Amino acid sequence: MFLEFFESKGHLAMKSFSLVPHNDNSLLLINSGMAPLKPYFTGQEIPPRNRVTTCQKCIRTGDIENVGKTARHGTFFEMLGNFSFGDYFKREAIQWSWEFMTQVVGLEADRLYPSVYLEDDEAFDIWNKEIGIAPENIFRFGKEDNFWEHGAGPCGPCSEIYYDRGEKYGCGKPECTVGCECDRYIEVWNNVFTQFESDGKGHYEELKQKNIDTGMGLERLAVVVQDVDSIFDVDTIKALLTRVGELAGKTYKEDYQVDVSLRLITDHIRSCTFMISDGIMPSNEGRGYVLRRLLRRAARHGKLLGIEGKFLAELSETVIALSKDGYPELEEKKAMILKVLTQEEDKFNKTIDQGLAILNDLQEEMVKNSETVLSGENAFKLYDTYGFPLDLTLEILEEKNFSVDEDGFQAAMKKQRETARNARKTTNYMGADVTVYQSLDPALTTEFAGYDTLVLDSFISALTTETEVVEALTDGELGTIVTEKTPFYGTMGGQQGDVGYICNEKGEFKVEDTIHLQGGKVGHVGKMVRGMLQSGDAVTLRVSEENRQNTGKNHSATHLLQKALRTVLGSHVEQAGSFVDKDKLRFDFTHFSALTPEEISQVEALVNEKIKDSLAVKTEVMSLDDAKKAGAMALFGEKYGETVRVVRMGDFSTELCGGTHISNTGVIGAFKILSETGIAAGVRRIEALTGDGLTRYYQDTERELHEAAKAAKTIPSGLTAKIESLMEEIKALHSENEKLKSKLANDSLGNVTDQIKEVNGVKVLATKVMDVDMNGLRNLGDQLKDQLGEGVVVIASVQDGKVNLMASATEEAQKKGAHAGNLIKAIASFVGGGGGGRPNMAQAGGKNPAGVDTCLEKVYEVVAEQVK
């Protein structure tokens, strides 16, 4: 209803953007309808229309600790919005919001209450004089409530619309009205009027281009329309919550603690399902960490509810069924979503058991030390390393009347956040990287014509150095050239950009990289190698044919590889990233275990078979629906327009792809997998070679083989036998060397029987030798124990300016109280070191050879204390 209403008002209805922000370092996840539209608001990109409307999926985790505890909080929601980029302003925005609420949705006008910013008389008058709201029913609020501002940059007042849900939702106080903290008056729509530019210091200038940015939570609107308690009672979300209850054998609204868990799981599984569908994988940093945290909170609350076994994937199926009409990507990525959830839940079940064991050890330590408060550092370690939430740690400790240093925990958390924040790139107020390209005219665009030609004539539309936009580049300068048309492919979709030259009779520019800039511009990055080029110059752009051809071989090979992987491993395999240039290819894909040598061999053989078949590589432009019907594979994180480019390789592979390819798979020549490794949870990586890169690899390998054979004084075919012979020789020499070292150690020790002392009925020998390593000391210790019969032996050795210490105690000595590990701990400090070990044997290292004599004298005192 919302989107159709605003389409009738001249708005372009755009599909929801991915939850992964595009070129925006200020956000981990899209958290509002406005967030993905920032470039249009700043003027860095020209919008497809000056009026746009969206229903945007969003995630906010700022108040994650309250999710479940109240029925108000959630992390996933859908935001309805209508936006104007320098087109209409307050009057239309207010009138249309009123029209939609009262005439389309059918809410009673006398239950709607607008608020405006304290000083915004214009908005007040529109509500009062044009819409007809009585002055006493329009609320003026201050900056905190009704002024949208985020540091320096565009900002402005806003006007919110509240709905009176009736006395049954109220607090009952006579002064209860709009703005009260109770649930009676609920804010459903916020119109932001972006009319000022702030310098961040309290000074505001009127903007020439005023914008409208509105937001209305779809779930919150449903709460109002369906007249239910909360978002968890809205029909679709209630259906999911009921499914959680069925799995747990619990009913909603019978027990508060049960309700907390039911709400939390319901909310979190929605977030997780949508995040994974947009290509976010669980990890220990960034948005992957947000996903992992949500998953683990949900899994933990499943345990609290008594749900047996894994359950997240099963619930996700309900989310997909409920939401796939609006978000078809959920159904398309279903196999992938369920795999990730299952594997991550498995991992958590293992780590939670580890965490419980660690917490148990910490509790025992606390009892031993008569402590009742777990340090914040240890609580954070449990949280950070084992995914153990603080509330779980608190809950377990409370049963033993222990508590946690929560301030210490928060301090450790703050320290980690600051470290992460400091690692972020420099950004402007809207979060995009600050670069010279921000200064280019947003109206400039570049037409790509490189599918059909590698040489093209065009005009230079802009030039930059590394720091500023310039009119000309001269000999030796580094910079970027933007042209009206280009045959150069810009780095995208994992394919590295083209290289080559841009020139005319006045100058020549070497293109070392080609990149996409905001607003549909292509930047040719490189260096002036001669003369000068100016803005407006006619130039010839020439792509390196060899580079393009070799890159094309690697790119086409990744298409064959993806199909081969799906054939050998199964349809759950999805591309999770790729990199292709002239030298090599790298392909990341979703799979949940390392490939076996047989699987790698099968995949490699299948790709080479299709290369040998010389399949024709054909490209075709068609609608997205037709492409999907044709079985084309779509990729994570890609924004597809109405028409897409489909690349077919015979009947074997069909993919959506904007990249460049060779004309026939036979051109690839051959394909070789170099490595297969894991790079993240459920993500594997294959690195491989084709074409010239593979030829170079074999040449390098052959050269290394000849050099190795030469070093071993043999020929390549005799190298294996020679290495085996050398290994035998080394083994014999090593054995001989150990015997000599042992003899030298014994000779160094000499006759020590006169050094044996008796301490409280136990024989003790403390002596030193020179230049004996730890292994040698252990051998000496065994020999001395044999000489001693029963007792304690301590040997110190100085080697390369460092001290090695070894202590051993026989069984009889141990029975009388001797303990080698505690003995070493007590004496190691005298040689500037530390160590420990078992009662029968221990060792230590030190940095202070001068303390050896004192250390050995101390042995007798320590043993005397042990064997009283």
Side-chain angles (χ1 to χ4, degrees):
M1 287 164 72
F2 181 89
L3 295 175
E4 285 174 5
F5 174 77
F6 278 99
E7 278 184 301
S8 77
K9 305 296 183 186
H11 290 64
L12 172 68
M14 296 178 78
K15 286 181 179 173
S16 173
F17 292 81
S18 167
L19 284 166
V20 179
H22 185 62
N23 288 338
D24 186 348
N25 289 319
S26 69
L27 289 177
L28 280 180
L29 295 155
I30 292 298
N31 62 2
S32 68
M34 174 267 197
L37 304 174
K38 283 180 185 180
Y40 303 148
F41 282 106
T42 59
Q44 285 304 314
E45 287 189 27
I46 294 171
R49 200 179 292 174
N50 285 341
R51 299 179 180 187
V52 163
T53 183
T54 61
C55 177
Q56 176 64 43
K57 50 190 173 185
C58 302
I59 285 182
R60 289 183 189 171
T61 55
D63 51 10
I64 191 172
E65 301 301 339
N66 291 320
V67 174
K69 290 178 185 173
T70 76
R72 283 184 178 189
H73 294 90
T75 58
F76 179 83
F77 60 97
E78 295 171 80
M79 182 67 88
L80 300 166
N82 57 288
F83 308 91
S84 164
F85 311 110
D87 188 352
Y88 63 84
F89 202 49
K90 288 183 190 177
R91 175 168 286 104
E92 294 88 341
I94 289 172
Q95 285 174 344
W96 289 336
S97 55
W98 186 255
E99 184 184 340
F100 179 76
M101 295 293 257
T102 56
Q103 293 177 36
V104 180
V105 179
L107 296 179
E108 306 94 313
D110 60 0
R111 294 175 77 169
L112 292 169
Y113 295 87
S115 72
V116 297
Y117 175 52
L118 215 52
E119 299 168 13
D120 193 354
D121 294 332
E122 184 187 359
F124 187 95
D125 287 344
I126 295 168
W127 280 116
N128 175 223
K129 294 172 182 171
E130 298 182 31
I131 304 297
I133 307 287
E136 63 272 18
N137 289 340
I138 305 170
F139 293 79
R140 288 184 186 261
F141 292 136
K143 262 198 170 180
E144 198 176 311
D145 295 303
N146 276 58
F147 198 92
W148 186 89
E149 189 169 15
H150 185 74
C155 60
C158 52
S159 176
E160 299 183 328
I161 303 173
Y162 292 82
Y163 179 77
D164 178 5
R165 302 170 71 204
E167 287 180 17
K168 64 178 175 177
Y169 294 107
C171 56
K173 295 175 186 171
E175 68 273 16
C176 180
T177 185
V178 171
C180 181
E181 285 299 305
C182 73
D183 290 336
R184 176 171 177 176
Y185 297 93
I186 184 171
E187 179 247 308
V188 286
W189 198 325
N190 188 11
N191 280 291
V192 179
F193 311 125
T194 313
Q195 64 188 95
F196 301 115
E197 176 82 24
S198 164
D199 64 0
K201 297 170 186 170
H203 300 106
Y204 301 93
E205 276 186 35
E206 196 89 11
L207 280 171
K208 286 178 188 168
Q209 178 180 304
K210 296 178 173 65
N211 301 316
I212 288 292
D213 158 24
T214 80
M216 172 161 60
L218 180 60
E219 292 85 352
R220 196 177 280 195
L221 179 61
V223 167
V224 165
V225 174
Q226 295 179 20
D227 190 24
V228 291
D229 280 359
S230 74
I231 58 170
F232 294 99
D233 299 289
V234 169
D235 51 9
T236 49
I237 302 173
K238 182 73 183 294
L240 176 59
L241 186 141
T242 302
R243 183 76 192 104
V244 182
E246 285 169 5
L247 288 178
K250 300 281 195 293
T251 308
Y252 190 44
K253 294 188 178 174
E254 285 187 358
D255 177 293
Y256 172 72
Q257 286 304 333
V258 167
D259 290 353
V260 169
S261 296
L262 290 173
R263 286 192 291 256
L264 183 141
I265 294 168
T266 301
D267 169 78
H268 285 11
I269 194 62
R270 292 178 81 212
S271 292
C272 295
T273 302
F274 276 88
M275 286 171 81
I276 298 167
S277 79
D278 280 337
I280 299 166
M281 293 284 138
S283 73
N284 283 332
E285 57 186 17
R287 59 185 71 92
Y289 183 67
V290 175
L291 171 60
R292 174 162 281 167
R293 190 177 176 204
L294 291 167
L295 276 168
R296 292 187 165 185
R297 282 168 64 88
R300 211 270 288 182
H301 277 268
K303 278 183 178 282
L304 291 181
L305 287 177
I307 299 177
E308 293 293 324
K310 296 189 288 289
F311 65 96
L312 293 178
E314 194 173 336
L315 284 179
S316 184
E317 292 201 55
T318 305
V319 177
I320 293 166
L322 289 167
S323 303
K324 66 184 179 184
D325 290 348
Y327 300 97
E329 65 268 23
L330 295 177
E331 184 66 36
E332 289 168 18
K333 305 297 178 195
K334 182 175 177 177
M336 162 82 184
I337 294 165
L338 304 185
K339 275 266 189 186
V340 172
L341 286 167
T342 302
Q343 184 174 359
E344 188 63 17
E345 197 171 358
D346 265 338
K347 275 189 178 176
F348 180 61
N349 288 340
K350 284 173 192 159
T351 58
I352 200 166
D353 292 339
Q354 278 180 291
L356 284 166
I358 300 290
L359 185 53
N360 203 42
D361 290 346
L362 290 169
Q363 286 181 80
E364 285 176 13
E365 195 74 20
M366 287 163 72
V367 171
K368 203 161 122 188
N369 299 331
S370 304
E371 294 170 352
T372 57
V373 181
L374 179 70
S375 75
E377 204 172 289
N378 278 332
F380 184 72
K381 184 182 173 187
L382 277 168
Y383 165 79
D384 201 37
T385 311
Y386 299 102
F388 228 62
L390 178 62
D391 55 354
L392 180 56
T393 304
L394 282 164
E395 200 177 294
I396 293 167
L397 290 174
E398 270 171 22
E399 291 167 10
K400 304 272 178 74
N401 293 319
F402 292 159
S403 60
V404 176
D405 173 12
E406 292 187 57
D407 290 341
F409 177 89
Q410 296 303 337
M413 174 79 88
K414 188 180 175 192
K415 187 179 174 186
Q416 189 203 52
R417 281 180 180 157
E418 282 170 359
T419 306
R421 197 178 298 120
N422 293 337
R424 280 189 187 167
K425 295 178 186 174
T426 307
T427 62
N428 62 19
Y429 78 95
M430 289 304 263
D433 289 355
V434 181
T435 67
V436 61
Y437 307 126
Q438 301 282 329
S439 308
L440 290 171
D441 181 353
L444 293 178
T445 57
T446 306
E447 181 191 332
F448 175 65
Y451 290 131
D452 306 312
T453 182
L454 298 181
V455 182
L456 188 74
D457 292 332
S458 187
F459 293 92
I460 295 177
S461 46
L463 303 108
T464 79
T465 63
E466 291 172 296
T467 54
E468 58 186 330
V469 177
V470 290
E471 278 299 302
L473 285 173
T474 58
D475 204 345
E477 278 191 302
L478 301 175
T480 300
I481 295 178
V482 179
T483 54
E484 292 175 10
K485 289 184 178 182
T486 185
F488 283 78
Y489 182 86
T491 298
M492 189 168 61
Q495 179 178 331
Q496 201 63 11
D498 281 327
V499 298
Y501 288 89
I502 298 175
C503 56
N504 60 19
E505 68 285 354
K506 295 189 295 178
E508 185 175 14
F509 180 86
K510 184 181 182 184
V511 180
E512 293 165 344
D513 193 12
T514 306
I515 58 175
H516 286 274
L517 305 175
Q518 281 183 315
K521 293 178 275 290
V522 172
H524 306 86
V525 182
K527 183 179 182 179
M528 284 297 301
V529 289
R530 69 169 177 86
M532 180 180 81
L533 290 176
Q534 286 177 278
S535 185
D537 274 359
V539 287
T540 299
L541 297 96
R542 195 178 302 275
V543 173
S544 162
E545 187 173 351
E546 183 186 4
N547 185 85
R548 169 73 77 86
Q549 182 80 337
N550 280 320
T551 303
K553 288 176 186 178
N554 283 325
H555 195 163
S556 295
T558 61
H559 284 225
L560 296 177
L561 174 60
Q562 176 163 354
K563 179 64 178 185
L565 286 165
R566 287 174 70 86
T567 305
V568 173
L569 303 178
S571 61
H572 64 275
V573 169
E574 295 266 1
Q575 180 171 336
S578 71
F579 176 90
V580 293
D581 64 8
K582 65 181 174 58
D583 298 316
K584 60 187 176 297
L585 67 94
R586 188 177 74 216
F587 187 75
D588 299 342
F589 58 99
T590 54
H591 188 57
F592 302 90
S593 59
L595 270 65
T596 63
E598 291 76 19
E599 286 170 335
I600 291 173
S601 183
Q602 281 178 270
V603 169
E604 193 172 86
L606 185 51
V607 173
N608 279 309
E609 180 191 316
K610 297 305 169 185
I611 290 170
K612 205 181 290 178
D613 289 346
S614 296
L615 305 174
V617 178
K618 293 183 177 174
T619 58
E620 194 181 342
V621 175
M622 58 178 77
S623 74
L624 186 56
D625 285 343
D626 287 343
K628 285 183 179 177
K629 283 173 196 164
M633 291 285 297
L635 302 184
F636 274 150
E638 288 288 323
K639 286 194 288 184
Y640 295 112
E642 285 306 305
T643 60
V644 292
R645 190 164 172 268
V646 176
V647 178
R648 297 178 195 267
M649 296 181 188
D651 294 328
F652 185 66
S653 165
T654 305
E655 288 190 36
L656 298 183
C657 179
T660 65
H661 292 271
I662 35 85
S663 58
N664 180 297
T665 61
V667 176
I668 299 169
F671 170 84
K672 173 71 183 164
I673 292 176
L674 293 186
S675 66
E676 189 274 339
T677 53
I679 57 165
V683 182
R684 310 293 301 172
R685 169 171 291 171
I686 279 178
E687 298 198 38
L689 297 173
T690 72
D692 292 353
L694 183 51
T695 304
R696 277 195 303 275
Y697 168 75
Y698 283 130
Q699 286 169 344
D700 291 345
T701 304
E702 190 178 16
R703 187 170 57 251
E704 280 180 27
L705 184 63
H706 280 283
E707 284 174 6
K710 189 178 171 186
K713 294 186 171 58
T714 184
I715 58 173
S717 59
L719 192 54
T720 304
K722 184 73 178 199
I723 289 171
E724 286 170 352
S725 163
L726 287 170
M727 291 306 291
E728 283 299 317
E729 197 177 322
I730 289 165
K731 192 175 171 185
L733 288 169
H734 180 73
S735 175
E736 195 177 327
N737 190 35
E738 287 300 310
K739 284 175 188 168
L740 287 169
K741 278 164 71 176
S742 180
K743 185 177 183 306
L744 284 169
N746 283 327
D747 292 348
S748 169
L749 189 64
N751 186 10
V752 291
T753 49
D754 58 336
Q755 295 177 37
I756 297 168
K757 294 183 183 178
E758 195 161 306
V759 178
N760 295 341
V762 174
K763 288 179 186 173
V764 181
L765 173 60
T767 187
K768 66 178 174 182
V769 292
M770 293 303 291
D771 291 320
V772 179
D773 62 14
M774 197 60 82
N775 199 34
L777 286 186
R778 284 194 292 270
N779 290 335
L780 275 180
D782 290 342
Q783 291 172 37
L784 289 174
K785 266 198 300 183
D786 290 343
Q787 288 181 36
L788 209 59
E790 289 292 342
V792 175
V793 174
V794 177
I795 316 174
S797 170
V798 178
Q799 187 183 36
D800 300 327
K802 291 181 181 171
V803 181
N804 294 323
L805 272 180
M806 192 284 307
S808 65
T810 64
E811 207 170 314
E812 284 303 316
Q814 289 173 56
K815 284 178 185 173
K816 292 178 180 177
H819 190 295
N822 293 341
L823 172 57
I824 278 284
K825 273 185 196 169
I827 63 172
S829 59
F830 293 98
V831 288
R838 302 184 304 276
N840 64 323
M841 210 285 286
Q843 59 191 46
K847 299 173 188 170
N848 177 24
V852 168
D853 291 339
T854 311
C855 170
L856 294 174
E857 284 165 20
K858 197 75 181 168
V859 169
Y860 302 102
E861 283 180 40
V862 176
V863 174
E865 288 172 15
Q866 288 185 343
V867 295
K868 286 174 182 173

